[in-house]
Amino acid sequence: DFAPVSRPAGASKVHVSWKPALGSTITDADLIDAFAGLHDGDLVEVWHESDVKYRKGDALAPMIALKNQFHDRVVALREAGRIPQVLTVNTWAGWSVDSTSDVDTAPLHARADILGVDMDGIPSDDDFYPYAERQMAAKFVAAYRAGGYTGWTVPEFSMPSVSSDPTGARRVAWIQSEVAKISRGVPAAGIPAPQMIAWFDTAGIIGESEMLKAPSEIAAWSALVAGNL
């Protein structure tokens, strides 16, 4: 369940998630082996987006229990100097903190150092989704404070290409503007810039339209990465 991490060469920070069996016991040996290739400041979690799994019918309590067990074990090993100084994450889909959603975030909290918010979605009516305005507003601030988190991160960030933007120019502008907004955090609420913003390429639900393919898109994202290392 806890496969060791093969860290990408040159990565400044990585975020890793595992999915151990619900109800299982996490051992020191599990984590020491799995974290052997990680560095201080890397991000770790179990049962990423448990909120989505819960909305699809999975029992929430066993997932939260495993997240809490994972965090407590990581903290103990971290304080004992037996693993790198990694940070634990409790990641939700952006919809859970979206200002237009009716999701109750109270039962979704688990013990974790930081909150993760996945900001990747499908455009509505061939338009570009306003993540920063809707997923960093009052609902996000309230959830962040309620969970006692010391920071946050964006493990999944992307926007599929759309037919009305054949050159990718609007997509590039959207990437640049959204990263700028997200990178500010919410200073008025004391919420810092996120630990990282990771582009999420997948061949899953959305498919290849999520991948950065146009040279202008790749160049824009590369420039953002280089400027934030």
Side-chain angles (χ1 to χ4, degrees), residues 81-172:
R82 300 177 68 191
I83 59 172
Q85 297 298 297
V86 296
L87 300 174
T88 61
V89 187
N90 180 25
T91 298
W92 302 339
W95 180 244
S96 288
V97 294
D98 194 287
S99 60
T100 66
S101 84
D102 60 359
V103 174
D104 179 7
T105 61
L108 304 177
H109 291 291
R111 291 193 289 276
D113 294 308
I114 65 177
L115 176 64
V117 179
D118 282 343
M119 294 181 169
D120 56 331
I122 301 173
S124 175
D125 299 323
D126 200 23
D127 203 353
F128 285 77
Y129 198 65
Y131 295 126
E133 288 86 351
R134 284 172 40 176
Q135 296 182 358
M136 293 174 65
K139 188 171 185 179
F140 165 74
V141 171
Y144 180 92
R145 289 173 170 170
Y149 304 104
T150 60
W152 69 297
T153 189
V154 183
E156 298 179 10
F157 172 81
S158 69
M159 171 53 64
S161 57
V162 294
S163 59
S164 64
D165 182 30
T167 67
R170 287 175 59 218
R171 194 182 191 203
V172 167

Side-chain angles (χ1 to χ4, degrees), residues 13 15 26 31 52 81 87 119-120 135 142 161 199:
K13 190 187 293 289
H15 183 138
I26 300 170
L31 302 187
V52 174
L87 300 174
M119 294 181 169
D120 56 331
Q135 296 182 358
S161 57
W199 185 267

Side-chain angles (χ1 to χ4, degrees), residues 47 52-53 55-57 59 62 70-71 76 79 85 93 104 106 116 133 144 148 154 168 194-195 201 206 215 219 228:
W47 285 83
V52 174
K53 297 173 179 64
R55 288 198 286 275
K56 290 181 177 179
F70 176 75
H71 173 75
E79 292 180 348
Q85 297 298 297
D104 179 7
E133 288 86 351
Y144 180 92
V154 183
Q195 289 275 334
D201 277 352
I206 299 173
N228 286 277

